């Protein structure tokens, strides 16, 4: 090794002579300095089995499955939803016909915030950023003709996750599919809502109770369901660095594990159903290192700190979405290229499921053409590039291993800081995450302003007088009126006495300590609306208020 | 003697994507303006109320949820109804070009900045178009 060190130093001298300025300004998007060259010196003392291991084996740095994509490629899961259940149902059928392999429901803001479409706060927002779902009737229409024992469905829903999940379970019942056969994911990650995404409903304590109720119910009745998708995606979109995304997401994950254990559950009972959701941004190697580090950190903690015995509890399974915030409104076709690189990083990082953004998403919800290209991007990576031929092809790269170690090291520093602050919820209450993210996003923006970071078409290679002529999906304002009429007529035609009883019983249960899922399911089955169920719970739990920082 | 420009940065509706709002708020503050941020989930009524109470010169509305065609006209109308029609309304977010043109043409917004706009451009626009009230 000393020969190598000497040779490296000699090389470095020559390198510097030729370009004295070459050691400046080479950093990742997160601001991590990058060396000009990595060598075996950066892997000195590497214990392969301890740090990397084999795919499918602890600590899973190289992947969670023995055969990875040779056995099965990742799930192509495009996130979609707009207007009403009917329109979205048609889009799902189209995507399935084009080779998408899993569904992913985007709900509109009123649904995400627990308001019915005819609530005054829903005005102007119904069916805009996703599909409007007010009751089981809408859920039935959303999955009409789609056999729920055959597809897996991911639902991006957090504050009211228990309610929408109950609707899905009830919808399957109507199709004759028992809950044991259902597979999919509810995002159900409330901690990142307080940290970044800001779609909260209740304060943290009751939110955590609902989540542990979901863990317990899922373990018993919906064993193939991922009961939470611990999401770094939104943390990143809010402006966090890759390191922050990694650290804050895993810290949230640990908080759920601790909450489950505190609620009296055995860690191996619920941990195998915890899943993750990461962002894949533009800095190719940093992203790959992030995914690899995430797996290793999670496995270590689950085994060593939380005493999980079932190897499935050690696995960090994750869905990835390419970075919406990396897309530009300028020269939107370039977004196809950006998305392809981000998707490739996710695949090289070993993702289980992937959503590729459409080129027009910075302007509106995707058109059919744009979403098809995004889906085709995944198919091209899977079938044409050959990157699936071998597992973790970048494993052993001096650079990637060094960067993976670095990500882990930096994340550990954050874990310590969060612990010092008193844990995740305390850190949220103190505004710690929010401030860290706001600072990082401001730093990033300044780097762009100063052209320390070049964004093609935005601060360099700009086309003056650019005319954007890609088609834009418009939501007809009539959608809102139609949805309002629908929920009003539902309230007029259902058995309102049954609804009242179900809501009263739910409130009673909320005041006590029983698992809330069966009560929510009962309310959903008699067509209580989402807004009514959430309102009943708000009366017991109250609402969260944020102290904004910038 | 004129005072500093006072800006209310507002996030209407149910959407929680506040990255842009916060970055712009901070940039305007760094440029020497007094910035008040409403926080999330504000109704047009709450925004107008805050604008009047804080005696601001300009309201900047950040909106990414697609509800811009509802929110901007409503804020403008409420400001006028309350005798605060002199407060300039500007904004930004995911707003398609056609909608942007319509909102500006009808006077619901004085200017709208879409993704990728340099902060400098927003700052300059405010400095040029917003006159702080006299003491």
């Amino acid at each position: 090794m000393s020969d190598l060190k000497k040779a490296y130093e000699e090389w470095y001298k020559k390198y510097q002579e030729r370009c004295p300025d070459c050691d400046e300004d080479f950093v990742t998007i997160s601001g991590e300095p990058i060396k000009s060259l990595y060598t075996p010196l950066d892997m000195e003392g590497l214990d392969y089995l301890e740090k990397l291991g084999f795919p499918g084996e602890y600590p899973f740095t190289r992947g969670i499955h023995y055969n990875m994509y040779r056995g099965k490629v990742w799930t192509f899961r495009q996130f979609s939803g707009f207007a009403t259940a009917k329109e979205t149902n048609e889009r799902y059928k189209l995507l399935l016909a084009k080779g998408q392999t899993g569904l992913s429901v985007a709900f509109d803001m009123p649904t995400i915030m627990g308001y019915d479409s005819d609530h005054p706060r829903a005005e102007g927002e119904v069916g805009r950023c996703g599909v409007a779902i007010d009751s089981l009737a809408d859920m039935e229409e959303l999955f009409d003709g789609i056999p729920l024992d055959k597809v897996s469905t991911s639902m991006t829903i957090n504050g009211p996750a228990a309610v929408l999940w109950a609707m899905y379970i009830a919808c399957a019942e109507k199709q004759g599919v028992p809950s044991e056969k259902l597979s999919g994911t509810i995002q159900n990650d409330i901690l990142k809502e307080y940290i970044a995404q800001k779609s909260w409903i209740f304060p943290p304590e009751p939110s955590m109770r609902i989540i542990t109720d979901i863990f317990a119910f899922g373990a018993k009745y919906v064993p193939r369901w991922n009961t939470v998708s611990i999401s770094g995606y939104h943390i990143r979109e809010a402006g966090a660095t890759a390191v922050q995304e990694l650290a804050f997401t895993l810290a949230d994950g640990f908080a759920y594990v601790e909450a489950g254990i505190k609620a009296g559950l055995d860690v191996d009972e619920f941990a195998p159903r915890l899943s993750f959701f990461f962002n894949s941004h533009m800095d190719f190697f940093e992203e790959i290192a992030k995914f690899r580090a995430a797996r290793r950190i999670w496995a270590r903690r689950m085994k060593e700190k939380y005493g999980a015995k079932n190897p499935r509890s050690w696995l960090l399974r994750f869905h990835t979405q390419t970075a919406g915030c990396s897309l530009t409104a300028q020269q939107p076709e370039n977004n196809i290229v950006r998305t392809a690189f981000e998707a490739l990083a996710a695949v090289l990082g070993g993702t289980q499921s992937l959503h590729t953004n459409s080129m027009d998403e910075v302007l509106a919800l995707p058109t059919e053409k744009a979403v098809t290209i995004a889906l085709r991007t995944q198919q091209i990576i899977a079938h044409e590039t050959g990157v699936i031929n071998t597992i973790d092809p970048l494993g052993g790269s001096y650079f990637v291993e060094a960067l993976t170690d670095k990500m882990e090291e930096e994340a550990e520093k954050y874990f310590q800081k969060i612990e010092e602050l008193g844990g995740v919820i305390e850190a949220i209450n103190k505004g710690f995450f929010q401030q860290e993210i706001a600072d990082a996003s401001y730093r990033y923006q300044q780097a762009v302003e100063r052209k320390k970071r070049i964004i093609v078409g935005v601060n360099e290679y700009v086309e003056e007088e650019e005319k954007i002529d890609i088609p834009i999906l418009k939501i007809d304002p009539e959608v809102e009126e139609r949805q309002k009429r629908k929920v009003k007529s539902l309230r007029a035609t259902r058995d309102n006495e049954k609804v009242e009883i179900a809501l009263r019983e739910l409130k009673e249960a909320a005041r006590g300590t029983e698992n809330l899922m069966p009560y929510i399911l009962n309310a959903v089955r008699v067509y209580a609306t989402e807004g009514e169920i959430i309102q009943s719970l708000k009366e017991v739990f109250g609402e969260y208020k944020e102290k904004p920082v910038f | 003697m004129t005072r500093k420009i006072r800006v209310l940065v507002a996030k209407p509706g149910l959407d929680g994507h506040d990255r842009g709002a916060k970055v712009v708020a901070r940039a305007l503050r760094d440029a020497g303006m007094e910035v008040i941020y409403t926080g999330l989930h504000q109704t047009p009524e709450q925004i107008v109320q805050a604008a009047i109470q804080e005696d601001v010169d300009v309201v900047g509305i950040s909106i990414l949820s697609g509800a811009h065609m509802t929110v901007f006209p409503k804020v403008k109308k409420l400001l006028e109804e309350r005798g605060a029609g002199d407060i300039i309304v500007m904004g930004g977010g995911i707003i398609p070009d056609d909608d942007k043109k319509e909102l500006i043409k009808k006077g619901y917004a004085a200017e709208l900045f879409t993704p990728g706009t340099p902060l400098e451009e927003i700052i300059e626009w405010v400095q040029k178009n917003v006159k702080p009230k006299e003491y």
Side-chain angles (χ1 to χ4, degrees), chain A residues 278-510:
Chain A
F278 289 112
N279 199 303
S280 192
H281 213 294
M282 280 304 286
D283 196 317
F284 198 69
F285 293 107
E286 185 175 49
E287 293 306 295
I288 295 166
K290 178 183 77 185
F291 301 127
R292 299 173 84 252
R295 274 193 295 270
R296 185 158 79 201
I297 298 169
W298 185 253
R300 289 236 169 95
R301 285 271 170 138
M302 291 308 288
K303 188 174 175 212
E304 286 166 19
K305 185 166 178 191
Y306 299 115
K309 305 235 167 5
N310 181 354
R312 290 198 62 85
S313 302
W314 306 337
L315 299 183
L316 182 143
R317 297 169 299 126
F318 69 103
H319 169 74
T320 308
Q321 181 174 342
T322 57
C325 64
S326 73
L327 304 186
T328 66
Q330 297 74 13
Q331 306 174 33
E333 291 91 340
N334 295 347
N335 294 331
I336 298 172
V337 183
R338 291 191 177 96
T339 297
F341 285 122
E342 292 169 351
L344 186 59
V347 170
L348 293 175
T351 195
Q352 274 63 64
S353 158
L354 181 61
H355 164 114
T356 32
N357 288 324
S358 303
M359 64 170 158
D360 51 359
E361 281 182 62
V362 74
L363 303 163
L365 289 181
T367 61
E368 200 177 302
K369 167 122 184 162
V371 76
T372 304
I373 296 171
L375 175 62
R376 296 285 181 251
T377 303
Q378 295 197 40
Q379 291 161 337
I380 290 167
I381 292 172
H383 303 298
E384 296 186 29
T385 63
V387 295
I388 66 166
N389 287 338
T390 190
I391 303 168
D392 186 33
L394 292 173
S397 145
Y398 310 125
F399 175 44
V400 169
E401 296 302 348
L403 201 52
T404 304
D405 288 353
K406 181 80 184 151
M407 300 292 282
E408 182 175 10
E409 218 177 282
E410 294 298 313
E412 290 289 347
K413 283 186 198 157
Y414 266 122
F415 299 149
Q416 204 177 335
K417 176 86 191 152
I418 294 162
E419 208 171 315
E420 282 162 16
L421 288 168
V424 170
I425 292 179
E426 266 309 299
I428 289 169
N429 290 335
K430 289 177 178 145
F432 170 72
F433 300 109
Q434 299 91 316
Q435 193 65 60
E436 285 285 305
I437 295 169
D439 290 349
S441 75
Y442 196 54
R443 270 199 306 273
Y444 175 81
Q445 191 57 39
Q446 284 178 318
V448 173
E449 304 273 321
R450 292 185 192 129
K451 292 200 186 183
K452 288 265 183 196
R453 193 155 284 290
I454 301 298
I455 312 288
V456 173
V458 173
N459 62 0
E460 201 63 90
Y461 314 109
V462 175
E463 298 198 1
E464 302 297 338
E465 304 298 315
E466 183 190 352
K467 196 179 164 338
I468 291 171
D469 55 2
I470 61 169
I472 298 289
L473 179 80
K474 286 250 178 189
I475 307 294
D476 186 349
E478 172 57 23
V479 163
E480 184 160 327
E481 291 311 311
R482 246 193 298 143
Q483 189 63 19
K484 275 186 184 170
R485 283 199 294 275
K486 197 174 165 199
V487 66
K488 284 199 167 90
S489 109
L490 173 86
R491 287 203 203 94
T493 50
R494 67 186 178 182
D495 187 337
N496 277 306
E497 201 177 321
K498 279 189 183 159
V499 172
E500 269 171 45
I501 294 168
L503 292 177
R504 201 162 52 228
E505 287 175 351
L506 171 65
K507 257 197 272 189
E508 271 310 302

Side-chain angles (χ1 to χ4, degrees), chain A residues 21-205:
Chain A
D21 300 330
C22 277
D23 269 359
E24 283 168 30
D25 292 343
F26 287 90
V27 293
T28 66
I29 291 186
S30 293
E32 288 294 333
I34 298 294
K35 289 162 66 173
S36 56
L37 189 75
Y38 290 79
T39 66
L41 291 170
D42 296 288
M43 294 168 78
E44 252 180 306
L46 172 91
D47 180 338
Y48 180 85
L49 290 177
E50 161 82 14
K51 283 250 172 148
L52 301 179
F54 290 97
E57 290 182 0
Y58 188 84
F60 306 100
T61 310
R62 308 200 67 181
I64 60 161
H65 297 303
Y66 279 89
N67 42 25
M68 284 305 284
Y69 304 134
R70 285 190 160 207
K72 176 183 176 285
V73 295
W74 61 94
T75 306
F76 303 154
R77 198 188 291 281
Q78 297 296 98
F79 180 52
S80 64
F82 62 97
T84 66
K86 189 168 173 290
E87 280 102 339
T88 301
N89 176 270
E90 283 161 15
R91 176 64 69 91
Y92 289 165
K93 285 178 178 160
L94 174 105
L95 286 169
L96 289 169
K98 284 180 191 282
Q100 176 171 303
T101 48
L103 297 172
S104 178
V105 187
F107 297 99
D108 69 358
M109 286 311 301
T111 306
I112 286 171
M113 294 298 287
Y115 296 110
D116 288 339
S117 297
D118 60 346
H119 191 283
R121 297 225 55 165
E123 194 186 346
E125 312 223 26
V126 177
R128 296 260 161 191
C129 279
V131 58
I133 300 292
D134 291 317
S135 74
L136 174 58
D138 293 328
M139 196 63 102
E140 287 165 19
E141 200 169 6
L142 187 64
F143 293 104
D144 180 49
I146 299 171
L148 297 188
D149 51 348
K150 299 275 180 343
V151 293
S152 85
T153 304
S154 170
M155 292 191 271
T156 302
I157 194 77
N158 295 283
V163 182
L164 276 298
W165 190 41
M167 285 182 193
Y168 190 84
I169 294 167
C171 178
E173 280 170 8
K174 293 238 164 182
Q175 286 189 5
V177 177
S179 60
E180 289 77 18
K181 285 200 170 168
L182 296 176
S183 70
T185 307
I186 34 174
Q187 196 164 83
N188 197 26
D189 174 7
I190 203 67
L191 292 173
K192 69 99 183 16
E193 295 296 340
Y194 305 122
I195 291 173
Q197 170 89 341
K198 316 293 175 80
S199 304
W200 52 68
I201 298 179
F202 314 115
E205 300 291 337

